[in-house]
Amino acid sequence: MTRFVDVSNMVRWTAGRGPETIISEMMQYLEDDFRRWESFDKTPRVASHTPFGVIELMPTSDQETYGFKYVNGHPSNPARGFQTVTAFGVLSDVHNGYPTFLAEMTVLTALRTAATSGMVAKKLARPDARIMAMIGTGTQSEFQALAFRAALGINSVRIWDTDPAAMEKFVRNMAPLGFEITIAGSAAHAVEGADVVTTCTADKANATILTADQVSPGVHINAIGGDCPGKTELDAAILGLGDVFVEYDPQTRIEGEIQQMSADFPVTEFWQVLAGHAPGRTSRDQITIFDSVGFAIEDFSALRYLRDAVEGSEFFEEIDLVANPDDPKDLFGLVRELSPIGS
Ligand code: NAD
């Protein structure tokens, strides 16, 4: 049997355990997996692009467990009543290839993207960072705010979105959790005096959410929205102002902000910082840029964490996903047993 966490269990478990606690705990799983980066199979995700958006498969394996996520990205979806991003994912045993764990990953992706941003910011942002600007207050935004509070203690958020209703929704969700929120009148206004800037907008375009003149010394930019060919958020000049950190270089060259730069533009894979092979932040005034697109190992860590966290709880069910004849060569026998032809 395969363990399955559906949407209802995922939501009940997240609400009960608390998203901020989950993000903190998930950061540890992410760090553990990033530290053993070299032991994973890695490949840029397999993407099917259409004028509507993209559908992607994100596989990886540590030779004991295989995982993949199915995820879509459709920036025009909210206007039609659908979400921009939805997902589900699987873990399997490498020794026999059987899927052991299946989970909804729309909620889990928001938690894992936030946990990844938090893990990276812990190393790259100034430890005394106190104010975050959030450009784009859609689906990911609340999870992002919780991650920065969990990672750095940031409680003060300046928000900007072109959709006023999205900003109202952010305030409604986050003010009761103790965040000090300022609604800005523009992206420039939001980033004024911010120590950390998160860009999480969705538009299938080379947008310029942030320009170079808006970036102050010492700031950490957490750029998560540009994650597809032809879909970026930062003025290319910003990338030359600081040091750029990525998840998996071959995938980010295709999908990240650095698709705007030459093929030899220098970047650092973040695992190298965690492993002590490369420097992270080296001075107070350094500008650090996390050019995040989301990588398969993060989904693997998130699934591994969820699988362990719900073990022995009421938040999963066993489903009959894999046909399992008594004689492994007699699959047909399963059908014959119930078939009127055989009787
Ligand atoms: P969403 O559609 O729910 O929210 C996006 C928000 O951006 C909307 O509220 C929209 O009004 C706003 N927006 C669009 N253009 C803007 C602009 N020019 N200025 C200010 N606000 C603007 O999408 P989401 O699920 O929150 O995802 C946001 C982005 O993050 C998407 O592009 C998605 O693909 C990406 N994403 C990345 C990762 C990762 O790992 N890096 C993970 C999940 C999602």
Side-chain angles (χ1 to χ4, degrees):
M1 299 293 263
T2 304
R3 277 175 284 162
F4 174 44
V5 178
D6 67 7
V7 174
S8 139
N9 274 327
M10 184 67 194
V11 169
R12 285 190 311 121
W13 172 75
T14 305
R17 185 140 195 83
E20 199 167 340
T21 303
I22 290 172
I23 288 167
S24 287
E25 291 174 352
M26 201 185 280
M27 275 191 235
Q28 195 52 58
Y29 272 67
L30 281 160
E31 272 195 39
D32 292 346
D33 287 342
F34 269 61
R35 282 183 204 282
R36 60 189 186 109
W37 188 263
E38 285 159 300
S39 66
F40 284 93
D41 281 348
K42 292 174 285 294
T43 177
R45 59 187 154 197
V46 182
S48 169
H49 294 281
T50 67
F52 301 108
V54 64
I55 295 177
E56 297 165 326
L57 293 177
M58 302 172 69
T60 189
S61 165
D62 67 357
Q63 321 314 320
E64 199 175 302
T65 305
Y66 173 94
F68 81 87
K69 179 169 82 171
Y70 166 103
V71 62
N72 76 297
H74 286 62
S76 60
N77 264 0
R80 301 185 296 143
F82 304 114
Q83 296 170 92
T84 299
V85 175
T86 68
F88 71 89
V90 173
L91 293 177
S92 303
D93 276 341
V94 165
H95 79 88
N96 63 359
Y98 280 23
T100 56
F101 189 71
L102 169 68
E104 90 74 45
M105 287 194 78
T106 307
V107 177
L108 194 62
T109 291
L111 292 162
R112 83 85 156 107
T113 303
T116 304
S117 290
M119 166 185 71
V120 171
K122 259 205 285 189
K123 279 278 176 196
L124 297 185
R126 291 200 320 265
D128 60 354
R130 285 296 162 261
I131 300 173
M132 161 147 96
M134 177 96 70
I135 318 294
T137 53
T139 304
Q140 309 303 320
S141 60
E142 291 91 347
F143 298 90
Q144 287 287 323
L146 290 173
F148 280 82
R149 185 158 78 180
L152 296 168
I154 291 181
N155 212 38
S156 182
V157 189
R158 301 167 61 96
I159 60 171
W160 166 244
D161 193 299
T162 44
D163 175 10
M167 291 198 281
E168 282 161 28
K169 175 226 50 168
F170 183 91
V171 173
R172 198 167 57 240
N173 284 335
M174 302 317 273
L177 299 183
F179 282 90
E180 259 173 51
I181 304 164
T182 306
I183 298 185
S186 64
H189 180 209
V191 303
E192 240 174 62
D195 306 302
V196 170
V197 177
T198 288
T199 53
C200 51
T201 65
D203 195 356
K204 197 149 172 97
N206 291 117
T208 305
I209 304 300
L210 208 59
T211 53
D213 57 299
Q214 294 164 347
V215 177
S216 312
V219 89
H220 173 63
I221 300 175
N222 172 48
I224 69 160
D227 59 356
C228 254
K231 179 165 169 257
T232 54
E233 295 182 303
L234 304 183
D235 178 356
I238 293 175
L239 303 170
L241 292 179
D243 294 293
V244 177
F245 298 83
V246 301
E247 290 139 322
Y248 179 55
D249 183 317
Q251 183 176 308
T252 311
R253 298 266 171 205
I254 301 167
E255 302 179 351
E257 297 300 326
I258 56 167
Q259 66 186 272
Q260 306 178 78
M261 309 308 274
S262 62
D264 59 353
F265 180 77
V267 299
T268 303
E269 287 189 335
F270 179 72
W271 73 272
Q272 299 262 16
V273 177
L274 269 186
H277 301 327
R281 174 169 289 276
T282 50
S283 73
R284 272 194 76 73
D285 280 353
Q286 183 190 12
I287 293 165
T288 50
I289 301 152
F290 178 37
D291 182 2
S292 167
V293 292
F295 186 57
I297 292 174
E298 293 151 28
D299 299 305
F300 182 96
S301 310
L303 283 166
R304 203 167 66 71
Y305 164 66
L306 178 65
R307 179 197 63 193
D308 294 355
V310 299
E311 172 101 48
S313 79
E314 56 179 299
F315 296 112
F316 69 91
E317 58 190 298
E318 305 262 1
I319 58 166
D320 198 8
L321 189 64
V322 178
N324 201 12
D326 290 339
D327 173 353
K329 291 189 179 179
D330 192 11
L331 182 64
F332 191 78
L334 288 180
V335 180
R336 187 181 44 77
E337 266 173 32
L338 296 182
S339 165
I341 302 163
S343 59

